[in-house]
Amino acid sequence: MIARHRTRAIAGLAFAALTAASSIVLAQPEDDPVAEYRAMMGDDNPAEFWVMRGEALWTTPRGPASVSLEQCDLGMGPGVVKGAYAHLPRYFADAGEVMDLETRLLHCMVTLQGIPREEALKQRFGDGARESDFEALAAFVAEESRGQMLDVPLDNPAMEKAYALGKEMFFYRAGTHDFSCATCHGQTGVRIRLQQLPNISEAEGARAAYSGWPAYRVSQGEVRTMQWRLQDCFRQQRLPQLEFGSEASIALTTYIAHNANGAVMDAPGMKR
Amino acid sequence: MGNPMRIRAKLDGDVVDAKVLMNHAMETGQRKDASGALVPAHYITKVIASCNGKTVLEADWGPSVSRNPLLGFRFRGAAAGDTLSVTWTDSMNDTRTDEAVIG
């Protein structure tokens, strides 16, 4: 009995899959409802509000040292924001390590403004009324690189090491579900649910994925950063929590960014 | 006082194409925070757009409108250089007015 039911169910599934496949072919142009939504919003991205707040945060003296972030070196020299995000992550000699945007912002908050690390990290991600300074600052810095070409070279042993580690993690299967990043992001032209997931192991997919982050997440009403994106991927994979600004998180970001080299930056973007 | 809106109004023939991006939490009053407590309702209840002393749009809104909403509408009877004024009032009796020159 059970076996027969199962056969019928499988036959039904196969039929559904067939009809679904044919409708996908027919419905190709409308295949990406998020893109449609984005087109409807046009130039109106609520991320603008985060950019405005981030710019104010950048120029306001804060912390025990009562200084602004205007002397923060994002890699192009102290205070240079224009184009900085298009060259991150990068190796910072003053810190002796590779840093991504959020880690560098944290570094400046701690070293320049004298804000204790734990306090700065309290609101890593925004939650309605409790806004995150990182999300606002990241939106502002990213906006200043819009239209620039992403250029993250492995021009230093530390960068090479970060890339290699990121790549290993990307393909490393682990956790209760035996997932790796590549499980969802290692194939081209397939999807999960209604999402067309980019193949991040290749340039085209990595560019599409990376160039729009940080992004306004419509479903959350918040601007999210790459650090947020990665830690949420870890949660979805049922892996241990990815620490904000950890070596592992920076390595993964370096892997994706280097793969995405040549992308025209278009952040903050808008995502589902 | 509320946060500033971003208003864009462009004349296309004799029709003004207006886009208003609002910065508002639009809490429905049904969401719970991390500790399980209800987040109090806080949403826009009324939107009024006026131009040259005339109301061109009046809308009653409720909790089903998204956070940071974008409102698009079109109207006739304005010229380039006129000012479009938009006011919202929310469920906590907060209000905000912003203006934009029609281009």
Side-chain angles (χ1 to χ4, degrees), chain A residues 26-45:
Chain A
L26 289 172
Q28 205 70 51
E30 294 101 57
D31 213 23
D32 191 351
V34 181
E36 243 177 274
Y37 185 94
R38 233 177 261 139
M40 280 171 72
M41 292 290 283
D43 294 330
D44 292 283
N45 185 341

Side-chain angles (χ1 to χ4, degrees), chain A residues 170-253:
Chain A
F170 187 84
F171 290 100
Y172 192 85
R173 283 161 62 162
T176 56
H177 290 46
D178 197 27
F179 254 62
S180 71
C181 305
T183 310
C184 294
H185 291 288
Q187 298 173 79
T188 305
V190 290
R191 63 186 198 184
I192 281 184
R193 300 177 312 201
L194 282 172
Q195 285 328 129
Q196 204 103 44
L197 295 181
N199 180 356
I200 294 173
S201 65
E202 289 179 353
E204 196 190 338
R207 285 173 189 159
Y210 192 82
S211 58
W213 286 95
Y216 181 75
R217 282 294 301 263
V218 177
S219 56
Q220 304 185 13
E222 298 276 2
V223 164
R224 297 306 191 190
T225 61
M226 188 44 94
Q227 283 282 341
W228 178 90
R229 179 59 274 170
L230 291 179
Q231 64 84 36
D232 198 55
C233 278
F234 268 52
R235 180 190 62 81
Q236 289 170 318
Q237 293 179 75
R238 277 77 169 167
L239 294 180
Q241 188 181 341
L242 183 67
E243 290 293 334
F244 187 96
S246 61
E247 186 186 6
S249 70
I250 295 165
L252 266 176
T253 305

Side-chain angles (χ1 to χ4, degrees), chain A residues 70-179:
Chain A
E70 285 161 303
Q71 285 306 303
C72 179
D73 183 357
L74 295 171
M76 318 276 285
V80 181
V81 183
K82 197 95 209 154
Y85 187 54
H87 304 284
L88 285 170
R90 67 156 72 210
Y91 175 76
F92 286 91
D94 60 358
E97 56 188 288
V98 174
M99 290 174 157
D100 65 351
L101 172 58
E102 294 94 304
T103 319
R104 190 61 184 175
L105 288 170
L106 174 65
H107 177 84
C108 287
M109 288 177 196
V110 173
T111 56
L112 284 177
Q113 299 183 312
I115 301 171
R117 198 185 152 85
E118 305 72 44
E119 197 187 312
L121 280 173
K122 240 181 218 160
Q123 211 65 50
R124 310 192 276 288
F125 310 124
D127 170 24
R130 282 171 300 191
E131 298 169 323
S132 162
D133 293 349
F134 287 104
E135 287 168 349
L137 284 164
F140 162 63
V141 174
E143 178 66 48
E144 294 292 305
S145 287
R146 195 184 287 277
Q148 301 236 4
M149 196 182 280
L150 180 68
D151 182 22
V152 178
L154 305 181
D155 52 0
N156 164 303
M159 283 296 283
E160 277 173 29
K161 198 180 142 212
Y163 181 85
L165 178 63
K167 186 175 182 180
E168 193 178 346
M169 288 175 61
F170 187 84
F171 290 100
Y172 192 85
R173 283 161 62 162
T176 56
H177 290 46
D178 197 27
F179 254 62

Side-chain angles (χ1 to χ4, degrees), chain A residues 43-44 48-49 216 220, chain B residues 6 8 23 67-68 70:
Chain A
D43 294 330
D44 292 283
E48 251 180 69
F49 300 132
Y216 181 75
Q220 304 185 13
Chain B
R6 230 280 308 269
R8 287 198 286 196
N23 190 349
R67 174 174 293 185
N68 302 323
L70 172 68

Side-chain angles (χ1 to χ4, degrees), chain B residues 5 7-10 15-22 47-51 54-59 61 70-76 84-87 102:
Chain B
M5 291 175 239
I7 305 173
R8 287 198 286 196
K10 244 186 91 188
V15 179
V16 177
D17 187 10
K19 293 253 170 68
V20 186
L21 188 62
M22 300 174 196
V47 181
I48 295 171
S50 57
C51 183
K54 256 180 152 172
T55 299
V56 293
L57 175 132
E58 189 172 338
W61 279 9
L70 172 68
L71 169 68
F73 58 96
R74 294 154 77 83
F75 65 96
R76 282 201 171 83
L84 174 66
S85 165
V86 180
T87 301
I102 296 167

